Amino acid sequence: MAMATSSSFLSIPLLKTPSFLSPIKHCVSPLSSEFRALALYGGRNGVSTSSAVATEAQVSTQDDKLKDAKMEVTDKPEKVVLPTNESSESLLRIRHTCAHVMAMAVQKLFPDAKVTIGPWIENGFYYDFDMEPLTDKELKRIKKEMDRIIGRNLPLIREEVSRDEAHRRITALNEPYKLEILDSIKEDPITIYHIGDEWWDLCAGPHVEKTGKINRKAVELESIAGAYWRGDEKKPMLQRIYGTAWESEEQLKAYLHFKAEAKRRDHRRLGQVLDLFSLQNDAGGGLVFWHPKGAIVRHVIEDLWKKIHIERGYDLLYTPHVAKANLWQISGHLDYYRENMYDQMNVEDELYQLRPMNCPYHILVYKRKRHSYHEFPIRVAELGTVYRYELSGSLHGLFRVRGFTQDDAHIFCLEDQIKDEIRGVLDLTEELLLQFGFSNYEVNLSTRPEKAVGDDDIWVKATSALRDALDDKGWSYQIDEGGGAFYGPKIDLKIEDALGRKWQCSTIQVDFNLPQRFDITYVDSNSEKKRPIMVHRAVLGSLERFFGVLIEHYAGDFPLWLSPVQAHVLPVTDTQLDYCKEVTNKLKANGIRGELCQGERLPKLIRNSEMQKIPLMAVVGAKEVETGTVTVRSRFGGDLGTMPIDDFVSTIKSAIESKASI
């Protein structure tokens, strides 16, 4: 039975070139960049480059990593804004029908295959089958059979039958999964969709009128994956076939180009190529190892985060990674979040728990002393590492891990301070995200759900405060009625990356629950005890996930200020090594992340720098040693000529300070 998913899908433009990248400079291979750098140096210093480049060309054709660069020079289709299931009902119908056509094709080719479910999804459709494992070669056979079914222009016919009749027909076909699905359907009568008079499926629709409405050239089968029936690892493993379908061949080409670009930017691949991070099987799944280069980027992000928070009146905290299990009983996590928590550990006959959240720790810091209304608002922030259990099958690079560091903060305030504090968080969020080039946001305000804690009056006040803060900020937003947490309303913000993809990032949540559970109070102007309002907020989300987003946003080409290595110093021969060391030391003394590269001929050194996406190269030959200069090439700005070392240093420092490219 093809079930419609209710997710809100995002509009995906073909490709947006970020302002910090030059589309011309980034559509060349590293070899051509080497040639320009060598030609620049050779032209000024009388060095012949032709033989060296020829040698490197031979090497480069054997290097698999250059395939990534070649992906950037392929012909790109014109920009196409792709429709979504929400914006185009015809597209949704096409995808839904494609799932049925694919299931029909599979059962024609593999009569023993048992069908289960086949919904439309964000960029296409899938169907799960109980059958022997498939190969890519068999996918091609299935697609050919689908094309034949589409070409026959068979009608899609809706039929209503009784539950008993549906049960009889399914039993006759020996489809056990369909019987289970039938039992889960509560409405009567049961609806069936036929493709001609040859195949049918339990389904509520909608579909196209005839298979001929599908453009065969706009459909492609993409991949095969394993999936447990009903998502339960104790149930049978099924074969899931993913496909994509569009209204036109042009849309399919645009989607495939987008998909190839997303693959080129995949943070898991770039994390290995650029030696930024790893996930070590020997240590366990979902645990991130930050390598030196990745750790430098994290250090820069953390320093910026701390600076902005201190400037905006936050006090920084560091709290433990474990606590007594009773703390999580008080907070309610053991009752409502236990499946995401690790097993408890016995320490001297007391049970301890790895923390899945930072909130209770910040509350304990608040409770350490008595508070007066004069002290509010109180803002505390922590880059706190938490641990959450995830099934191994759900782990995904830096995006889904078991241990991660949240940029967590909590604000304790009075009721009449909520709006101003929320507005302050929105301003801080914008200030921080703009540093990384994120300026387009999707904002949602989620209101009280059916089951909630707290009086109606405070819910109304808090929701109005969030709404007023957003209006005051001037941001457009959508209302998600009933989508708030049980403990308070919230604002969620998604950022848009260079490919137009949306990433859940920042969240601001008002909490009426934890202050009550932990019985936190303050003394008001009448010397009476009152309960403060608590606001949870995160701007980046988690450092791991945000780093993954950054890698894909920049395609590994970090801007100068954020790049783990900002400049490579390259000697023409070993006779310039001593001078190169002086240059490198001067860069480091001025806070510039410079590295001396040696041990290879200059063309290879340049090529390696390009492959590592180093923003700046300083080439040093005999003339540079004699004149106290360096010949500079920028990855983003091209050839910058020869300049004194002090000028090189001051230019870099100025660009880092302003977060500009050179």
Side-chain angles (χ1 to χ4, degrees):
M1 179 175 63
M3 295 287 201
T5 58
S6 60
S7 302
S8 176
F9 300 132
L10 305 174
S11 177
I12 306 173
L14 168 61
L15 182 62
K16 293 182 180 178
T17 304
S19 58
F20 50 81
L21 297 182
S22 164
I24 297 176
K25 292 183 178 67
H26 285 264
C27 290
V28 296
S29 70
L31 182 60
S32 60
S33 298
E34 292 167 27
F35 182 81
R36 288 197 303 274
L38 283 166
L40 167 71
Y41 180 80
R44 292 196 174 106
N45 299 277
V47 176
S48 172
T49 61
S50 58
S51 61
V53 172
T55 302
E56 290 306 312
Q58 294 167 3
V59 174
S60 66
T61 57
Q62 299 170 7
D63 193 329
D64 289 338
K65 291 181 180 179
L66 284 182
K67 293 178 181 177
D68 303 325
K70 291 176 182 177
M71 288 178 65
E72 300 180 53
V73 300
T74 57
D75 292 334
K76 297 181 180 179
E78 294 181 4
K79 181 176 178 179
V80 176
V81 178
L82 298 178
T84 68
N85 295 324
E86 290 184 333
S87 68
S88 173
E89 185 179 347
S90 66
L91 178 61
L92 183 150
R93 290 174 178 269
I94 287 169
R95 288 173 171 170
H96 197 179
T97 304
C98 279
H100 282 223
V101 169
M102 180 173 70
M104 177 178 174
V106 167
Q107 290 200 307
K108 277 183 171 291
L109 296 173
F110 306 94
D112 293 334
K114 302 299 180 185
V115 288
T116 62
I117 59 171
W120 69 78
I121 54 177
E122 183 173 0
N123 294 314
F125 58 93
Y126 73 77
Y127 212 111
D128 289 347
F129 303 92
D130 189 350
M131 62 187 301
E132 292 299 314
L134 293 165
T135 65
D136 290 339
K137 183 178 179 181
E138 287 163 329
L139 272 190
K140 294 178 181 178
R141 289 181 60 204
I142 295 169
K143 177 58 169 64
K144 286 183 179 179
E145 184 60 35
M146 287 178 66
D147 290 345
R148 281 192 283 269
I149 295 169
I150 292 169
R152 292 170 62 193
N153 200 25
L154 298 173
L156 275 290
I157 304 168
R158 184 177 184 273
E159 180 187 9
E160 293 184 357
V161 298
S162 68
R163 187 173 296 272
D164 289 342
E165 174 62 16
H167 191 281
R168 185 190 67 77
R169 293 188 190 183
I170 294 170
T171 302
L173 290 175
N174 189 26
E175 292 283 5
Y177 297 98
K178 291 298 179 185
L179 286 176
E180 188 174 333
I181 292 171
L182 178 64
D183 290 340
S184 69
I185 299 174
K186 304 304 180 185
E187 300 84 7
D188 285 309
I190 304 301
T191 57
I192 288 174
Y193 270 87
H194 298 261
I195 299 180
D197 58 359
E198 301 175 28
W199 190 88
W200 60 268
D201 199 356
L202 290 173
C203 187
H207 289 281
V208 298
E209 294 83 4
K210 294 184 177 182
T211 59
K213 293 285 187 179
I214 300 170
N215 185 336
R216 286 176 287 187
K217 294 184 178 180
V219 180
E220 183 166 301
L221 298 187
E222 297 186 286
S223 62
I224 307 164
Y228 291 111
W229 170 236
R230 298 293 197 188
D232 187 341
E233 60 185 351
K234 296 178 181 178
K235 293 184 177 180
M237 173 67 77
L238 307 174
Q239 293 292 298
R240 175 172 295 178
I241 303 177
Y242 284 100
T244 188
W246 300 89
E247 295 165 326
S248 67
E249 187 178 2
E250 290 72 27
Q251 288 179 5
L252 175 62
K253 288 180 178 178
Y255 166 73
L256 293 177
H257 176 75
F258 170 87
K259 186 178 174 184
E261 180 64 15
K263 183 178 180 180
R264 185 180 73 84
R265 293 168 178 262
D266 191 311
H267 74 280
R268 295 167 297 178
R269 183 186 68 84
L270 288 173
Q272 293 185 23
V273 171
L274 301 178
D275 195 22
L276 299 171
F277 72 91
S278 62
L279 297 150
Q280 303 283 347
N281 289 332
D282 290 344
L287 302 173
V288 181
F289 287 73
W290 295 75
H291 298 182
K293 290 180 179 179
I296 283 290
V297 178
R298 174 170 173 162
H299 169 71
V300 174
I301 294 172
E302 288 184 352
D303 276 2
L304 175 65
W305 185 91
K306 291 175 183 177
K307 177 177 179 291
I308 290 176
H309 279 76
I310 290 172
E311 289 174 350
R312 289 187 172 269
Y314 286 80
D315 292 319
L316 302 184
L317 299 180
Y318 293 94
T319 57
H321 291 212
V322 297
K324 291 181 180 179
N326 185 57
L327 183 68
W328 308 105
Q329 190 68 60
I330 296 172
S331 69
H333 286 93
L334 284 178
D335 293 327
Y336 300 105
Y337 205 71
R338 185 186 292 268
E339 69 274 11
N340 297 107
M341 299 170 68
Y342 282 97
D343 290 342
Q344 296 170 2
M345 60 191 87
N346 190 310
V347 180
E348 296 179 348
D349 296 327
E350 284 192 290
L351 293 177
Y352 281 75
Q353 182 83 53
L354 276 172
R355 66 176 176 187
M357 305 275 189
N358 299 305
C359 328
Y361 292 81
H362 293 188
I363 291 175
L364 292 184
V365 172
Y366 175 91
K367 288 189 69 174
R368 77 192 186 280
K369 65 178 183 179
R370 187 179 182 182
H371 293 280
S372 165
Y373 72 99
H374 291 296
E375 300 174 49
F376 291 99
I378 296 171
R379 310 181 189 104
V380 293
E382 177 181 14
L383 293 168
T385 301
V386 298
Y387 304 90
R388 299 180 187 174
Y389 174 67
E390 300 280 358
L391 291 172
S392 58
S394 68
L395 299 175
H396 180 80
L398 297 177
F399 293 156
R400 197 74 176 265
V401 294
R402 288 172 171 163
F404 54 93
T405 301
Q406 289 183 308
D407 71 316
D408 220 348
H410 295 91
I411 300 170
F412 301 92
C413 65
L414 309 179
E415 285 184 22
D416 60 3
Q417 294 174 331
I418 298 176
K419 175 191 170 183
D420 290 340
E421 287 306 302
I422 298 301
R423 173 59 197 268
V425 173
L426 296 177
D427 290 342
L428 184 153
T429 298
E430 183 178 40
E431 179 184 3
L432 188 54
L433 293 177
L434 282 175
Q435 309 292 318
F436 302 96
F438 297 117
S439 58
N440 294 327
Y441 316 125
E442 178 184 296
V443 184
N444 290 287
L445 170 60
S446 301
T447 62
R448 182 174 185 165
E450 186 175 340
K451 294 182 179 179
V453 298
D455 297 332
D456 291 345
D457 182 57
I458 188 60
W459 267 92
V460 171
K461 287 182 179 179
T463 304
S464 295
L466 266 61
R467 191 193 311 268
D468 290 344
L470 285 169
D471 290 338
D472 193 46
K473 182 66 178 171
W475 283 355
S476 61
Y477 59 93
Q478 296 178 332
I479 302 292
D480 180 11
E481 294 289 354
F486 75 92
Y487 51 76
K490 64 176 181 172
I491 294 171
D492 289 319
L493 181 146
K494 295 178 181 178
I495 56 177
E496 182 179 304
D497 71 5
L499 290 183
R501 298 173 297 183
K502 305 285 181 63
W503 301 93
Q504 175 64 51
C505 189
S506 310
T507 186
I508 308 166
Q509 303 178 0
V510 179
D511 188 349
F512 313 133
N513 180 49
L514 287 184
Q516 182 177 341
R517 280 181 170 271
F518 281 92
D519 192 26
I520 64 174
T521 61
Y522 69 93
V523 177
D524 71 3
S525 58
N526 297 319
S527 298
E528 295 179 356
K529 284 188 176 182
K530 294 290 182 65
R531 206 172 303 288
I533 299 296
M534 182 177 182
V535 178
H536 306 257
R537 47 113 297 198
V539 177
L540 306 180
S542 81
L543 294 184
E544 286 76 8
R545 189 169 186 273
F546 188 71
F547 186 44
V549 172
L550 284 181
I551 293 171
E552 300 200 0
H553 178 60
Y554 296 128
D557 257 321
F558 294 102
L560 178 66
W561 71 274
L562 194 57
S563 182
V565 179
Q566 294 166 322
H568 270 177
V569 181
L570 312 177
V572 175
T573 67
D574 286 349
T575 57
Q576 289 91 42
L577 277 178
D578 288 341
Y579 179 77
C580 286
K581 290 176 182 177
E582 292 178 21
V583 174
T584 305
N585 290 337
K586 189 154 192 174
L587 293 174
K588 291 181 177 179
N590 282 273
I592 298 167
R593 297 186 289 277
E595 283 186 359
L596 168 60
C597 299
Q598 56 180 310
E600 303 282 356
R601 297 179 64 188
L602 181 60
K604 184 65 175 291
L605 294 178
I606 293 172
R607 175 171 171 271
N608 290 344
S609 296
E610 286 284 343
M611 295 300 297
Q612 294 173 41
K613 303 182 186 294
I614 306 300
L616 295 168
M617 288 180 279
V619 180
V620 174
K623 185 172 289 187
E624 283 78 12
V625 175
E626 180 183 342
T627 58
T629 59
V630 290
T631 296
V632 182
R633 170 169 176 77
S634 164
R635 181 166 175 81
F636 299 131
D639 303 328
L640 303 182
T642 301
M643 63 182 72
I645 299 174
D646 288 342
D647 289 355
F648 184 46
V649 169
S650 63
T651 299
I652 297 175
K653 290 178 71 174
S654 176
I656 292 172
E657 179 68 24
S658 62
K659 294 184 172 57
S661 297
I662 297 178

